[in-house]
Amino acid sequence: MQAIADNQISVLVAATGQYHGARPLVVQDNVSFRVRAIGNWTLRVEPLRNGGQPAFSGTGDNVSLFFDPPPPGQWLISGTGKMLLIPLHCVSGDADVVDDDNGPYQRTATITFSRGPCFREVQSDGNWSLTPQA
């Protein structure tokens, strides 16, 4: 699936077989989509809402709600799949928290958030979680 906006093409999903997930898309103007699929498919576009929490877990691709950034601290980051990519997007800048394709994955990392609000984008082929450590 590709999104086309301002004459720019963005690949949102490149999957073989069934896919269920959420991907972020930031556009200023109109957007169109190009989907190549065999069988039935559904596409739903929703605005990103407020009310999220910094801790986040799930399965497969997902996007958190906007959340207020916490102070810097230690986080346990884990994933059971072969791939885990977790960019952090904040109003004042983006940061790659995890980029690993040799899963499963588990580590503790210090995360310093930029000025918010922020949201997390997760791309994974398994279960994953981001949990603050006390």
Side-chain angles (χ1 to χ4, degrees):
M1 175 185 306
Q2 298 174 330
I4 304 158
D6 298 326
N7 293 323
Q8 298 290 326
I9 296 174
S10 299
V11 176
L12 297 178
V13 177
T16 302
Q18 292 185 348
Y19 173 84
H20 183 271
R23 302 286 297 124
L25 178 63
V26 178
V27 295
Q28 297 290 328
D29 294 314
N30 294 329
V31 62
S32 61
F33 297 93
R34 181 180 302 148
V35 179
R36 295 181 188 178
I38 298 172
N40 298 328
W41 57 272
T42 302
L43 169 68
R44 187 173 70 216
V45 178
E46 298 177 343
L48 198 55
R49 294 183 301 275
N50 294 320
Q53 298 297 317
F56 194 41
S57 63
T59 301
D61 294 352
N62 207 342
V63 179
S64 75
L65 300 176
F66 279 115
F67 60 88
D68 292 326
Q74 292 289 309
W75 287 74
L76 177 62
I77 305 165
S78 63
T80 62
K82 294 178 183 172
M83 187 266 296
L84 182 62
L85 173 64
I86 309 174
L88 171 66
H89 304 282
C90 296
V91 168
S92 60
D94 296 344
D96 285 333
V97 175
V98 172
D99 185 356
D100 192 297
D101 58 4
N102 298 312
Y105 185 89
Q106 183 164 332
R107 77 176 177 124
T108 301
T110 300
I111 300 176
T112 300
F113 294 82
S114 298
R115 184 176 50 84
C118 302
F119 73 91
R120 294 186 194 274
E121 168 189 358
V122 178
Q123 293 181 42
S124 177
D125 58 356
N127 298 322
W128 47 266
S129 67
L130 295 99
T131 309
Q133 302 298 288

